[in-house]
Amino acid sequence: MPAKGNAWAEELIDRLTDLCGTHLQSLWKVRLTPQEAPTVGAWLASGSARLGDLLRNPENRDEPLHAVTLVVLRGREAFLAPGPDFVLAAGDELLFAGWAAARRALGTILFVDAVREYVVTGRRVPTSWIWRRLKLDPQPAQR
């Protein structure tokens, strides 16, 4: 990090302050593996998985999560504070700083297909059996 310089450090501090406030609430890591992030495998394989899309609020995708990615580890390579256009890959390890609520929301994105679909594409998909059935058959048979 020292090689990045003061301007880079100031920008990172500004991002942290803007999204997370002045008191750091939580640090956590996530591995983009089938065990820790089962919903993102196909998305990662497409080569279009951008960090900024992953860090959207599941309640309103136009708002970012209150979290900043500090480091992405990919094999022996480390990417410090990558931006929203950073393309993620299977096996990446990410270190986040942010609100505890952002940690919970990210967990939901990584484990619930419909939530991941919404934050990535904006498309809402039915999650329960009955809603999926109604979506497939919008005109129920008349009796």
Side-chain angles (χ1 to χ4, degrees), residues 6 8-19 21:
N6 288 339
W8 179 85
E10 288 175 17
E11 182 182 321
L12 178 58
I13 290 169
D14 288 344
R15 281 174 55 199
L16 281 164
T17 304
D18 289 346
L19 284 170

Side-chain angles (χ1 to χ4, degrees), residues 7 12 16 20 36 38 40 44 48 53 55 69 73 75 79-80 89 94 99 107 110 113 130 134-135 138 142:
L12 178 58
L16 281 164
C20 307
E36 291 188 34
V40 298
L44 294 171
S48 64
D53 291 332
L55 296 178
T69 309
L73 295 177
F79 302 91
L80 300 176
L94 295 82
W99 292 7
L110 296 174
D113 284 316
I130 189 73
L134 289 173
K135 180 108 173 144
Q142 298 290 323

Side-chain angles (χ1 to χ4, degrees), residues 48-117:
S48 64
R50 294 178 333 122
L51 180 60
D53 291 332
L54 182 66
L55 296 178
R56 294 176 187 260
N57 184 335
E59 300 296 320
N60 179 355
R61 72 183 296 272
D62 294 330
E63 297 175 4
L65 289 180
H66 293 280
V68 173
T69 309
L70 300 175
V71 179
V72 174
L73 295 177
R74 181 175 295 156
R76 293 182 173 263
E77 199 169 6
F79 302 91
L80 300 176
D85 290 329
F86 182 83
V87 177
L88 299 165
D92 282 354
E93 293 183 54
L94 295 82
L95 176 64
F96 297 100
W99 292 7
R103 181 179 187 172
R104 289 187 299 274
L106 183 58
T108 302
I109 293 165
L110 296 174
F111 277 89
V112 179
D113 284 316
V115 176
R116 191 257 321 134
E117 182 70 20

Side-chain angles (χ1 to χ4, degrees), residues 126-138 140:
T127 56
S128 70
W129 178 86
I130 189 73
W131 286 115
R132 286 192 310 266
R133 180 73 178 139
L134 289 173
K135 180 108 173 144
L136 291 174
D137 188 14

